[in-house]
Amino acid sequence: MKTIGVLTSGGDAPGMNAAIRAVVRPGCECGMKVYGINNGYRGLIEDDLQELNIRSVSDIIHRGGTMLHTARCLEFKEEEGMQKAIDTCKKYGIEGIVVIGGDGSFRGARDLSLRGIPCIGVPGTIDNDIVSSDYTIGYDTCLNTIMQMVDRIRDTVESHSRCMVIEVMGNRCGDLTLNSGIAVGATAIVIPEISSDVEKHVIERINRTIKTGKKHFLIMVAEGIGGVAELAKKIQNECGVEARSIVLGHVQRGGSPSARDRVTASLMGYEAVELLKQGIGNRVVVMKDDKIVNYDIYEALNMERQVNSQIYKIAHEISI
Ligand code: F6P
């Protein structure tokens, strides 16, 4: 391939810039023309792209967000939008695209590939919800951000002998909630994968720890479950503990990427451009057992998620 594009799509994630850099530099170095497509798939529809060179990606490795900006583009799901995107690719001679994003972005990559523009997906989302990959770019930074915020919340919760019910992002995946819950020593963790009778479960856990002398409580709830304010009220009424709630929100998505995210993004971006260099498309670059490998994009999208219920069990056994 002589001309390729790179875009970031869906929610931004720390480390996306490192991935862009790792696509652009090796691409340019081997003589490819590399276009940065702005605002995800919308940039293809609106003909909003820029040619990048090795210096265009200087000083971005440490920055959160994405220099190419991002969007969730509904128009791209329709035939007319798709056709406009293909026309833009033809106009610039784009023969392959690296798509950095989540599952929804990969579905877009699959659809473009089906119409003759081979794409390579790179998993970039804080949610860690891409079934084919053990790890997604941005997850580690986000997990650490949550942990740091909750450590601060703990100071005040402890001082006031209160309970704080904390809503964590993650789309429909409980990984951020579960693992941050372990890291902060939460009394209860509620995730969508294992969530029967939430109120009963949380109240039982709090009451049990009260009996052992515990006076302050952190309850981590995945965003898909919702109702954190109501849950806090219920806890206050049923457990006799003053309770508050907080939705951590978009602060979880920002910030300078961790070393793990910078390194993983760099390796994944590099692998993606290597595939395009060899004329290989329709793949997703993923992490499996600590190795960077690639899978067929259709196969990857059809994989089924396995829930690690053992980790959930351990989390609760050690947080009493
Ligand atoms: O996919 C990343 C994510 O932050 C999810 O955790 C969350 O559900 C969603 O994006 C929020 O989307 P938006 O920024 O469009 O509100």
Side-chain angles (χ1 to χ4, degrees), residues 123 132-135 260 264 267-268 271 284-295:
S132 55
S133 189
D134 292 346
Y135 188 78
R260 180 170 189 197
T264 308
L267 299 181
M268 285 182 168
E271 172 77 4
V284 290
V285 172
V286 299
M287 182 174 279
K288 259 290 149 243
D289 303 324
D290 278 334
K291 290 196 177 63
I292 308 291
V293 296
N294 61 84
Y295 294 145

Coordinates of all heavy atoms in Angstrom, one line a residue, residues 123 132-135 260 264 267-268 271 284-295:
P123 N -7.5 -1.7 19.5 CA -8.4 -1.5 20.6 C -8.0 -0.3 21.5 O -7.1 -0.3 22.2 CB -8.3 -2.8 21.4 CG -7.1 -3.4 21.0 CD -6.7 -2.9 19.7
S132 N -12.1 -9.7 22.0 CA -10.9 -10.4 21.4 C -9.6 -10.0 22.0 O -8.6 -10.7 21.8 CB -10.9 -10.1 19.9 OG -10.9 -8.7 19.7
S133 N -9.6 -9.0 22.8 CA -8.3 -8.5 23.4 C -8.3 -8.6 24.9 O -9.3 -8.2 25.6 CB -8.0 -7.1 22.9 OG -6.7 -6.7 23.3
D134 N -7.2 -9.0 25.5 CA -7.1 -9.0 26.9 C -7.0 -7.6 27.5 O -7.2 -7.4 28.7 CB -5.8 -9.8 27.4 CG -5.9 -11.3 27.1 OD1 -7.0 -11.8 26.8 OD2 -4.9 -12.0 27.1
Y135 N -6.6 -6.7 26.6 CA -6.3 -5.3 27.1 C -6.7 -4.3 26.0 O -6.5 -4.5 24.9 CB -4.8 -5.2 27.4 CG -4.5 -3.9 28.1 CD1 -4.7 -3.8 29.4 CD2 -4.0 -2.9 27.4 CE1 -4.5 -2.5 30.1 CE2 -3.8 -1.6 28.0 CZ -4.0 -1.5 29.3 OH -3.8 -0.3 29.9
R260 N 2.2 1.9 30.8 CA 1.6 0.7 30.2 C 0.8 1.1 28.9 O 0.9 0.4 27.9 CB 0.7 0.0 31.2 CG 0.2 -1.3 30.6 CD -0.5 -2.2 31.5 NE -0.8 -3.4 30.8 CZ -1.7 -4.3 31.2 NH1 -2.4 -4.2 32.3 NH2 -1.9 -5.4 30.4
T264 N 1.9 -0.1 25.2 CA 1.0 -1.0 24.5 C 0.5 -0.4 23.2 O 0.4 -1.0 22.2 CB -0.2 -1.4 25.4 OG1 0.3 -1.9 26.6 CG2 -1.1 -2.4 24.8
L267 N 3.2 -0.4 20.6 CA 3.4 -1.8 19.9 C 2.2 -2.1 19.0 O 2.4 -2.7 17.9 CB 3.5 -2.8 21.0 CG 4.7 -2.7 22.0 CD1 4.8 -3.8 23.0 CD2 6.0 -2.6 21.2
M268 N 1.0 -1.8 19.5 CA -0.2 -2.1 18.7 C -0.3 -1.3 17.4 O -0.6 -1.8 16.3 CB -1.5 -1.9 19.5 CG -1.7 -3.0 20.5 SD -3.3 -2.7 21.4 CE -3.5 -4.3 22.3
E271 N 2.3 -2.6 14.9 CA 1.8 -3.9 14.3 C 0.7 -3.6 13.3 O 0.7 -4.3 12.2 CB 1.2 -4.8 15.4 CG 0.5 -6.1 15.0 CD 1.5 -7.2 14.5 OE1 2.7 -7.0 14.7 OE2 1.0 -8.2 14.1
V284 N -7.8 -7.3 13.3 CA -7.7 -6.4 14.5 C -6.4 -6.8 15.3 O -6.1 -8.0 15.4 CB -8.9 -6.6 15.5 CG1 -10.2 -6.0 14.9 CG2 -9.2 -8.0 15.9
V285 N -5.7 -5.8 15.8 CA -4.5 -6.1 16.5 C -4.9 -6.1 18.0 O -5.6 -5.2 18.5 CB -3.5 -4.9 16.3 CG1 -2.3 -5.1 17.3 CG2 -3.1 -4.9 14.9
V286 N -4.5 -7.2 18.7 CA -5.0 -7.4 20.1 C -3.9 -7.9 21.0 O -2.8 -8.2 20.5 CB -6.2 -8.4 20.2 CG1 -7.4 -8.0 19.4 CG2 -5.7 -9.8 19.8
M287 N -4.1 -7.9 22.3 CA -3.2 -8.5 23.2 C -3.8 -9.8 23.7 O -4.9 -9.8 24.2 CB -2.9 -7.5 24.4 CG -1.9 -8.1 25.3 SD -1.5 -7.0 26.6 CE -0.3 -6.0 25.7
K288 N -3.0 -10.8 23.6 CA -3.4 -12.1 24.1 C -2.2 -12.7 24.9 O -1.1 -12.8 24.3 CB -3.7 -13.1 22.9 CG -5.2 -13.3 22.6 CD -6.0 -14.1 23.7 CE -7.4 -13.7 23.9 NZ -8.1 -13.2 24.9
D289 N -2.4 -13.0 26.1 CA -1.4 -13.6 27.0 C -0.1 -12.8 26.9 O 1.0 -13.3 26.7 CB -1.1 -15.1 26.6 CG -2.4 -15.9 26.7 OD1 -3.2 -15.6 27.6 OD2 -2.6 -16.8 25.9
D290 N -0.3 -11.5 27.0 CA 0.9 -10.5 27.0 C 1.6 -10.4 25.7 O 2.7 -9.9 25.6 CB 1.9 -10.9 28.1 CG 1.4 -10.3 29.5 OD1 0.7 -9.3 29.4 OD2 1.8 -10.9 30.5
K291 N 1.0 -10.9 24.6 CA 1.7 -10.8 23.3 C 0.7 -10.0 22.4 O -0.5 -10.1 22.5 CB 1.9 -12.2 22.7 CG 3.0 -12.9 23.4 CD 3.5 -14.1 22.6 CE 4.6 -14.8 23.2 NZ 4.2 -15.4 24.5
I292 N 1.3 -9.3 21.5 CA 0.5 -8.6 20.5 C 0.4 -9.5 19.3 O 1.3 -9.9 18.7 CB 1.3 -7.3 20.0 CG1 1.7 -6.4 21.2 CG2 0.4 -6.5 19.0 CD1 0.6 -5.7 22.0
V293 N -0.9 -9.8 19.0 CA -1.2 -10.7 17.9 C -2.3 -10.1 17.1 O -2.8 -9.0 17.4 CB -1.6 -12.1 18.4 CG1 -0.5 -12.8 19.1 CG2 -2.9 -12.0 19.3
N294 N -2.7 -10.7 16.0 CA -3.9 -10.1 15.2 C -4.8 -11.2 14.8 O -4.4 -12.4 14.6 CB -3.4 -9.3 14.0 CG -2.6 -10.1 13.0 OD1 -3.1 -10.8 12.2 ND2 -1.3 -10.1 13.2
Y295 N -6.1 -10.8 14.8 CA -7.2 -11.8 14.4 C -8.0 -11.2 13.2 O -8.0 -10.0 13.0 CB -8.2 -11.9 15.6 CG -7.6 -12.6 16.8 CD1 -8.1 -12.2 18.0 CD2 -6.7 -13.6 16.7 CE1 -7.6 -12.8 19.2 CE2 -6.3 -14.2 17.9 CZ -6.7 -13.8 19.1 OH -6.3 -14.4 20.3

